[in-house]
């Protein structure tokens, strides 16, 4: 199956699959990942015709983003099977992953995996080439998140869907991804941590969903900084204005990278036979042992080094 679980997803641009203009604009943006949407960003009356538009766009290519995905409709709708079959058989060689929304039980992931496999075979695409990203968007999905994360070796990432989460949880705030007035803490902390733990336990990336107030860049940066601090790998962006901040926030800073490199190099020297096989050392006036080195190595991996 896919061996590309750790490709960068600092910024993931949502692009309506019904709009030639938005698709064209998405090709030139400095983002890590773009997904062409067949779900919430597309009206019911044009979902079927949007499949053909997305298929042609995939075959045309031309994105600066290294990863190109399609979000299909979820299994509670009548479109899921044909969404997957159409885009994979039509342009599977140009498609990196399918985003499956509103996942509630592991059986939905297994069904998508099997259908993608059949479509890959029909298209002559290597089986396992196309990954899965799974959106957790309601309390049932969160309750089953561990089993969902482990359901398919195709899965590359878990994605938090704040809009549907807010709706199904009964929250009264209307701006998706923003603070919830009246609650003194972070109303999303539990769900964010729960998704992150399930992702990490299964070797997956964890991606935060959108912040929809496109003119509130300060609010976007606050939301992105919060989840980056928790350990999330990236965040959806819904407007080009959010891309620069997202890329910056989810990239470790130069000083952090330099210190991580010092920690790793010093520890490898100290623990070698030539260095005395020392298990704990001091770097920059801080004690470093194996646990600290694991953190430093994770920072370097995130920075691509």
């Amino acid at each position: 199956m896919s061996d590309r679980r750790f490709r960068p997803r600092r910024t993931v641009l949502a692009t309506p699959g019904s709009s030639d203009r938005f698709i064209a604009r998405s090709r030139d943006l400095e983002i890590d990942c773009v997904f062409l949407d067949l779900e919430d960003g597309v009206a019911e009356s044009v979902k079927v015709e949007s499949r053909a538009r997305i298929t042609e766009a995939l075959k045309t290519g031309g994105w600066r983003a290294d990863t190109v995905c399609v979000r299909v409709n979820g299994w509670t709708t009548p479109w899921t099977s044909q969404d997957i079959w159409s885009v994979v058989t039509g342009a599977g060689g140009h498609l990196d992953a399918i985003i499956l929304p509103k996942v509630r039980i592991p059986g939905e992931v297994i069904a998508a995996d099997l259908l993608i496999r059949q479509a890959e075979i029909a298209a002559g695409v290597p089986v396992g080439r196309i990954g899965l990203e799974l959106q957790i968007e309601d309390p049932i999905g969160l309750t089953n998140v561990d089993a969902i994360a482990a359901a398919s070796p195709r899965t590359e990432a878990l994605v938090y869907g704040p809009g549907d989460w807010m709706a199904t949880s009964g929250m009264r705030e209307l701006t998706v991804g923003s603070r919830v007035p009246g609650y003194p803490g972070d109303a999303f902390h539990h769900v964010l941590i729960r998704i992150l733990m399930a992702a990490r336990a299964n070797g997956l990336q964890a991606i935060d969903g959108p912040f929809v107030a496109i003119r509130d860049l300060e609010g976007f940066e606050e939301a992105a900084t919060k989840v980056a601090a928790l350990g999330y790998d990236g965040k959806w962006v819904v407007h080009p204005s959010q891309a620069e901040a997202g890329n910056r926030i989810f990239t470790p800073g130069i000083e952090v990278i330099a210190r991580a490199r010092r920690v790793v190099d010093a520890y490898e020297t100290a623990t070698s036979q030539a260095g005395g096989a020392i298990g704990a050392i001091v770097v920059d006036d801080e004690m470093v042992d194996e646990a600290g080195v694991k953190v430093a190595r994770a920072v370097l991996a995130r920075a691509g080094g």
Side-chain angles (χ1 to χ4, degrees):
M1 292 293 180
S2 174
D3 59 357
R4 295 172 294 180
R5 291 184 175 189
F6 301 105
R7 50 188 161 195
R9 289 183 173 88
R10 296 170 303 169
T11 44
V12 181
L13 179 70
T15 305
S18 56
S19 170
D20 290 325
R21 180 171 66 90
F22 284 125
I23 292 173
R25 185 178 66 173
S26 72
R27 286 187 167 96
D28 296 324
L29 298 178
E30 191 69 37
I31 51 176
D32 288 337
C33 178
V34 61
F35 75 85
L36 307 180
D37 196 14
L38 282 168
E39 198 218 10
D40 286 348
V42 176
E44 289 191 11
S45 60
V46 295
K47 284 187 184 290
V48 173
E49 69 180 61
S50 294
R51 292 179 193 144
R53 178 176 287 104
I54 284 176
T55 299
E56 288 305 309
L58 289 171
K59 291 191 291 187
T60 300
W63 279 278
R64 293 180 66 181
D66 290 331
T67 301
V68 181
C69 309
V70 172
R71 180 167 69 166
V72 299
N73 290 281
W75 284 114
T76 59
T77 76
W79 301 294
T80 317
S81 296
Q82 282 303 309
D83 285 349
I84 293 173
W85 187 263
S86 295
V87 297
V88 175
T89 58
H94 308 276
L95 176 64
D96 294 308
I98 294 286
I99 300 175
L100 186 65
K102 298 178 176 63
V103 180
R104 306 179 85 196
I105 58 174
E108 295 175 342
V109 183
I110 295 169
D113 183 315
L114 293 172
L115 182 54
I116 293 170
R117 185 180 192 277
Q118 291 185 341
E120 286 172 331
I121 293 171
V125 173
V127 171
R129 181 194 187 281
I130 298 169
L132 273 171
E133 299 183 21
L134 310 174
Q135 282 192 271
I136 305 300
E137 305 189 63
D138 69 10
I140 296 176
L142 190 66
T143 299
N144 295 317
V145 68
D146 293 309
I148 288 169
S152 169
R154 269 183 211 281
T155 304
E156 300 181 5
L158 298 182
V159 182
Y160 171 46
D164 280 275
W165 177 266
M166 294 167 74
T168 56
S169 299
M171 292 182 178
R172 301 177 183 179
E173 171 59 32
L174 295 177
T175 302
V176 173
S178 67
R179 290 175 176 266
V180 178
Y183 188 78
D186 182 354
F188 305 112
H189 183 74
H190 172 73
V191 61
L192 287 166
I193 286 291
R194 191 73 184 83
I195 291 171
L196 178 65
M197 294 303 101
R200 294 297 186 253
N202 289 277
L204 309 177
Q205 290 191 339
I207 308 299
D208 189 25
F211 183 89
V212 301
I214 60 175
R215 298 191 185 280
D216 183 6
L217 292 182
E218 183 178 340
F220 173 85
E221 292 206 17
E222 179 184 357
T225 299
K226 175 185 68 178
V227 295
L230 289 178
Y232 270 65
D233 299 284
K235 183 173 179 60
W236 281 13
V237 295
V238 293
H239 191 271
S241 64
Q242 298 174 337
E244 184 279 329
N247 288 334
R248 169 170 42 83
I249 289 167
F250 288 98
T251 300
I254 294 174
E255 292 183 1
V256 173
I257 295 171
R259 182 168 189 276
R261 175 53 62 195
R262 289 197 301 274
V263 167
V264 171
D265 290 346
Y267 191 76
E268 288 178 350
T269 298
T271 54
S272 68
Q273 289 297 323
I278 301 171
I281 61 174
V282 175
V283 179
D284 298 339
D285 295 327
E286 291 186 13
M287 190 276 288
V288 174
D289 59 9
E290 182 63 28
V293 173
K294 288 179 180 177
V295 174
R297 285 178 177 146
V299 168
L300 293 176
R302 189 184 296 268

